[in-house]
């Protein structure tokens, strides 16, 4: 049961894993698992929005996924394109703002156009920000951030001795978002798979055995309930963590 006295996470990040296994268990081709997985995306985003979650970041296609068979990549791209075109009017109506992180210039040209158009159209959405991680890898993001910072040093805008956590954070694709409070990973794997390595430093992790296509709103609420029981200390003691929480609430 969700606790009304504890806050829901402001930002949830999800590694949507297990589409292939879901299909395999049913004797279906992998593409059916991806399709069933894409159906869940809408339901979970809308329920998060109803619960008051402000940001949701979903790992939809990793940098490493480019190594999959060409046919599977093609199916995933088609699903993504369909999702963007079909859901944009509904996102607009429901106050969902679409964003993306990752090297999207590697996606098919049409899909990039549709994605950019949807990002533009939904820019005024105030209920929740849905960020799709596409052609995304955290190490690649860090490489890109280092290039940005090196450029700032070269141009004289930044002195190397002034490089701090903030300058790096500002150069990441996620510069405008708070770090995730809760990471959900489906299908029982215990790894981060090159997802938001910097941003997840103090995120609470929840792993479920459910495959992504079976992750429904009941499962989402279980994850949030578990999060509400966690004691977040950010490496501090209980009392100093509470004190910094009070200070950050005041400022
Ligand atoms: C992993 O399942 C999942 C992905 C490769 C990405 C997630 C993609 C979707 C949910 C569908 C498209 C998304 C959108 C936003 C329309 P897997 O194939 O690695 O599963 P397995 O480990 O069981 O093989």
């Amino acid at each position: 049961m969700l606790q009304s006295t504890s806050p829901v996470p402001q930002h949830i990040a999800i590694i949507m894993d297990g589409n292939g296994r879901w299909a395999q268990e049913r004797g279906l081709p992998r593409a059916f698992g991806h399709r069933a997985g894409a159906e869940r995306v809408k339901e979970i985003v809308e329920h998060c929005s109803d619960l008051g979650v402000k940001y949701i970041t979903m790992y939809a296609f990793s940098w490493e996924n480019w190594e999959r068979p060409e046919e599977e990549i093609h199916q995933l791209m088609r699903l993504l394109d369909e999702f963007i075109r079909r859901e944009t009017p509904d996102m607009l109506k429901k106050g969902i703002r679409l964003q993306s992180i990752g090297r999207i210039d590697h996606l098919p040209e049409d899909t990039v156009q549709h994605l950019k158009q949807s990002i533009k159209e939904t820019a005024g959405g105030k209920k929740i920000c849905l960020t799709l991680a596409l052609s995304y890898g955290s190490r690649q993001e860090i490489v890109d951030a280092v290039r940005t910072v090196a450029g700032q040093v070269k141009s004289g805008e930044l002195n190397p001795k002034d490089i701090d956590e903030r300058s790096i954070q500002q150069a990441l694709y996620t510069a405008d978002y708070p770090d995730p409070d809760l990471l959900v990973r489906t299908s029982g794997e215990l790894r981060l798979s090159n997802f938001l390595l910097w941003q997840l430093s103090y995120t609470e992790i929840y792993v479920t055995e459910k495959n992504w296509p079976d992750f429904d709103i009941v499962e989402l609420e279980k994850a949030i309930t578990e999060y509400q029981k966690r004691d977040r200390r950010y490496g501090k003691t209980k009392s100093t963590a509470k004190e910094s929480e009070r200070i950050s609430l005041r400022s």
Side-chain angles (χ1 to χ4, degrees):
M1 259 289 267
L2 278 186
Q3 296 169 34
S4 52
T5 47
S6 300
V8 294
Q10 183 188 23
H11 184 174
I12 300 183
I14 306 188
I15 302 179
M16 305 181 283
D17 196 12
N19 294 349
R21 273 162 281 176
W22 183 91
Q24 202 175 15
E25 282 164 11
R26 288 159 181 79
L28 296 167
R30 294 175 62 78
F32 281 72
H34 292 316
R35 186 160 285 280
E39 297 302 325
R40 282 287 178 216
V41 172
K42 179 184 166 79
E43 179 188 341
I44 294 298
V45 173
E46 290 183 0
H47 198 61
C48 278
S49 176
D50 291 343
L51 293 175
V53 174
K54 292 310 225 184
Y55 300 85
I56 179 161
T57 301
M58 307 182 98
Y59 209 3
F61 193 85
S62 75
W63 181 249
E64 290 73 23
N65 286 157
W66 290 118
E67 305 288 328
R68 291 200 175 193
E70 215 172 297
E71 180 53 26
E72 186 170 346
I73 294 176
H74 178 71
Q75 285 157 353
L76 281 165
M77 291 300 135
R78 207 176 46 208
L79 270 178
L80 173 66
D81 198 68
E82 260 179 48
F83 175 85
I84 296 167
R85 284 186 294 128
R86 196 186 57 218
E87 297 305 331
T88 299
D90 228 32
M91 287 197 270
L92 254 173
K93 252 189 265 158
K94 294 184 173 146
I96 301 170
R97 175 179 174 216
L98 181 67
Q99 292 275 286
S100 76
I101 51 171
R103 293 179 172 170
I104 60 160
D105 50 331
H106 286 66
L107 302 176
E109 226 174 281
D110 275 12
T111 308
V112 176
Q113 286 316 316
H114 297 145
L115 178 64
K116 286 186 176 166
Q117 184 59 32
S118 178
I119 289 175
K120 206 162 125 190
E121 281 180 37
T122 61
K126 297 269 184 288
K127 286 274 289 176
I128 191 167
C129 175
L130 161 63
T131 302
L132 293 179
L134 296 167
S135 187
Y136 174 86
S138 187
R139 289 183 173 183
Q140 291 68 29
E141 175 182 33
I142 292 169
V143 168
D144 289 347
V146 170
R147 284 190 187 136
T148 303
V149 172
Q152 291 164 345
V153 168
K154 192 167 176 227
S155 70
E157 191 188 322
L158 186 64
N159 190 320
K161 74 171 175 32
D162 293 330
I163 297 173
D164 56 10
E165 283 185 28
R166 196 180 148 73
S167 12
I168 311 268
Q169 188 269 335
Q170 284 296 302
L172 294 171
Y173 306 150
T174 53
D176 298 333
Y177 319 128
D179 288 343
D181 301 294
L182 171 66
L183 169 74
V184 173
R185 178 158 191 152
T186 58
S187 90
E189 307 294 348
L190 301 175
R191 52 179 175 261
L192 292 178
S193 301
N194 202 15
F195 189 47
L196 302 173
L197 301 180
W198 172 286
Q199 298 86 340
L200 294 175
S201 297
Y202 282 101
T203 301
E204 296 297 324
I205 301 178
Y206 176 87
V207 177
T208 167
E209 291 297 323
K210 294 274 175 191
N211 289 321
W212 173 249
D214 288 329
F215 190 83
D216 57 14
I217 59 176
V218 173
E219 294 301 319
L220 173 72
E221 293 202 6
K222 272 191 210 164
I224 296 179
T225 305
E226 169 67 31
Y227 167 84
Q228 290 178 321
K229 291 184 198 149
R230 303 274 177 96
D231 180 17
R232 300 188 76 193
R233 291 196 226 157
Y234 305 90
K236 300 165 193 164
T237 63
K238 210 167 187 163
S239 61
T240 58
K242 283 267 173 279
E243 183 53 22
S244 354
E245 211 175 277
R246 268 200 300 277
I247 293 168
S248 76
L249 283 175
R250 277 205 303 264
S251 57

